[in-house]
Amino acid sequence: MNEIELKAQERIQKNAFMHHNYIEMVSVETDKAVFRLDIRPESKNPYGMVHGGAIYTLADNATGSAAHSDGRNYVTQTSALHFLRNQSEGTVWATATVRHRGHSTCLVAVDITGDQGKLIATGEFTFFCVDKARMDEKIKK
């Protein structure tokens, strides 16, 4: 594991919602992250397809890790995710790549693909850079 992945792993261990949804980190490097979700019964909507919320959560975690790869701290500010198709079994993958890194924001593109590499969803997330000490104070309150 590289240094960026070690820091990502440390941060991810505190992410109960990601673990609750069975999302896993595959790799993280500077400005790029890959995450996966093995579709389980808990991941499916009433139609038997992977739930849109699970896909969104996968995308949010992958893009957030790509943003965090510069060592700063971020929260999701805005996002747009376009659902194109779906799948009922197997694995879905999120590949996130930083498109722009500014002083206070970071724009990250994401593609969600299925087992045959078909595009399931695509989008962009904007992250706002935060002061970790101030965020830690809010947690204590």
Side-chain angles (χ1 to χ4, degrees):
M1 232 182 236
N2 65 46
E3 184 178 332
I4 295 171
E5 286 177 328
L6 289 172
K7 287 184 179 184
Q9 192 66 41
E10 184 178 304
R11 190 181 67 261
I12 287 168
Q13 286 178 353
K14 299 174 187 173
N15 189 337
F17 192 68
M18 186 183 112
H19 297 295
H20 177 77
N21 286 280
Y22 305 102
I23 293 168
E24 300 175 33
M25 178 184 80
V26 175
S27 66
V28 180
E29 59 190 66
T30 303
D31 294 342
K32 184 176 181 181
V34 178
F35 279 58
R36 67 182 274 168
L37 167 65
D38 292 327
I39 300 170
R40 303 166 54 109
E42 301 89 346
S43 309
K44 295 181 181 184
N45 65 24
Y47 302 105
M49 306 299 276
V50 65
H51 194 286
I55 293 171
Y56 181 91
T57 301
L58 176 65
D60 190 38
N61 281 281
T63 54
S65 289
H68 280 87
S69 69
D70 70 348
R72 298 191 294 166
N73 297 283
Y74 294 89
V75 295
T76 306
Q77 183 175 24
T78 63
S79 64
L81 192 62
H82 308 281
F83 295 91
L84 307 172
R85 65 175 43 89
N86 210 328
Q87 121 181 3
S88 61
E89 303 293 333
T91 302
V92 289
W93 306 82
T95 303
T97 308
V98 172
R99 295 189 62 205
H100 172 77
R101 200 178 279 286
H103 176 71
S104 60
T105 61
C106 182
L107 177 65
V108 186
V110 64
D111 284 337
I112 307 296
T113 55
D115 284 334
Q116 284 80 40
K118 288 188 178 182
L119 191 62
I120 291 174
T122 188
E124 291 182 330
F125 284 62
T126 302
F127 292 88
F128 184 74
C129 189
V130 296
D131 180 321
K132 184 171 180 345
R134 289 189 70 192
M135 296 303 286
D136 289 344
E137 280 179 26
K138 290 179 182 267
I139 291 171
K140 292 176 186 176
K141 290 183 179 182

